[in-house]
Amino acid sequence: MPHIRTYLFALMTVISMLSYQPLHAESKTTVAAESDSIQLFRGISVSYDLAGTIMRMVGDYGQYEGALRVNLRDRYFPIIELGLGSAKHEADIASEIEAKVNAPYGRIGCDFNMSKDKHDIYRVMVGARYAMTSFKTEASGDVTDPYWKGKAPYHVETDNCFFHWAELLFAVDAQIFGPVRLGWSVRYKIKLGQSDTGLNELWYIPGFGKKGNKLGGTFNISFELGRKNKKQK
């Protein structure tokens, strides 16, 4: 009898363990599915690039840029960026020519949140943009005649130039307090094409920056209005 009771006890223990494992696994799967099944639309945010404004204030070129971003499931972030590129190259001793550009530009794209916990207040994102601008470059000043050594006024304004490019970016942002967030991005720019302007070289392209500079960045302050997590049935 003692051997029979021992055998029955061992058999019941094994059966209990086998029956517990599927239920436990199912429970974990259910929790994971429920935690991920949130609303598609999670909110919107508006942002402003502080870096571009500071560059224009202390240097001879920069931009004033704002953006509107949509939050989808805290994972995908379609975005539209609009701005005004501004540059004024003061006349120097070598060229004595002053050049200036003021024109709007726009970008459209999407960011992907790579964070393991996509609902965290910190986000690490990669993304892409398609960008374009249309602008004129104006140059004026006094040029020295190489033969007579006298000076003559110089003024030229290019035809409207269409320029478009692509951007790949890496970005980080975080919630500071309430709806306010701060973040930065590093961007690699790829020229796609431009129309003929009659000039050998463009000094500055609105939104793109100085021609030849493939790297850029932003430092954004944003105001985000979002929805609270609510599991769907």
Side-chain angles (χ1 to χ4, degrees):
M1 290 296 291
H3 295 289
I4 295 175
R5 286 197 298 267
T6 302
Y7 173 76
L8 291 175
F9 177 77
L11 181 62
M12 292 175 64
T13 302
V14 172
I15 293 173
S16 298
M17 292 177 63
L18 292 175
S19 62
Y20 171 77
Q21 291 296 331
L23 290 174
H24 184 62
E26 182 180 354
S27 176
K28 290 178 67 175
T29 304
T30 303
V31 170
E34 288 181 354
S35 63
D36 191 58
S37 59
I38 59 174
Q39 309 96 329
L40 173 64
F41 177 72
R42 302 284 296 134
I44 61 172
S45 66
V46 291
S47 63
Y48 185 78
D49 175 27
L50 299 175
T53 301
I54 295 173
M55 287 175 59
R56 186 63 188 94
M57 292 173 63
V58 302
D60 51 6
Y61 71 95
Q63 61 272 345
Y64 309 98
E65 179 183 307
L68 175 66
R69 186 169 69 179
V70 178
N71 182 346
L72 302 179
R73 297 193 188 277
D74 288 337
R75 186 66 79 186
Y76 305 97
F77 295 83
I79 187 169
I80 296 176
E81 299 169 335
L82 299 174
L84 175 69
S86 175
K88 186 175 182 180
H89 178 62
E90 300 292 347
D92 52 43
I93 299 176
S95 66
E96 299 184 4
I97 298 297
E98 178 184 278
K100 58 182 178 180
V101 180
N102 288 286
Y105 63 89
R107 304 189 196 97
I108 186 170
C110 185
D111 296 332
F112 175 76
N113 183 8
M114 299 191 303
S115 301
K116 185 175 181 180
D117 180 4
K118 64 181 182 180
H119 307 304
D120 197 0
I121 63 173
Y122 301 98
R123 294 172 184 153
V124 178
M125 297 188 287
V126 294
R129 302 281 189 275
Y130 170 75
M132 67 178 74
T133 183
S134 181
F135 64 98
K136 293 181 179 181
T137 298
E138 183 179 351
S140 60
D142 294 328
V143 295
T144 302
D145 189 290
Y147 182 78
W148 298 104
K149 304 302 180 181
K151 290 189 176 182
Y154 170 85
H155 181 84
V156 63
E157 184 173 327
T158 66
D159 294 332
N160 214 44
C161 174
F162 175 76
F163 189 96
H164 62 131
W165 69 97
E167 295 182 1
L168 303 176
L169 68 87
F170 174 82
V172 175
D173 77 12
Q175 180 183 9
I176 304 303
F177 61 88
V180 180
R181 302 181 68 92
L182 287 177
W184 54 266
S185 72
V186 176
R187 306 180 180 216
Y188 181 76
K189 304 172 185 180
I190 306 166
K191 176 185 173 181
L192 299 178
Q194 73 174 73
S195 59
D196 185 18
T197 62
L199 296 178
N200 294 330
E201 185 176 354
L202 294 171
W203 176 67
Y204 171 80
I205 299 113
F208 185 91
K210 280 190 174 182
K211 188 173 182 181
N213 288 356
K214 293 185 176 182
L215 290 178
T218 62
F219 182 76
N220 302 306
I221 180 170
S222 61
F223 185 86
E224 184 175 71
L225 295 177
R227 302 174 66 177
K228 292 182 179 179
N229 287 342
K230 182 178 180 182
K231 298 175 183 177
Q232 295 178 346
K233 296 183 180 179

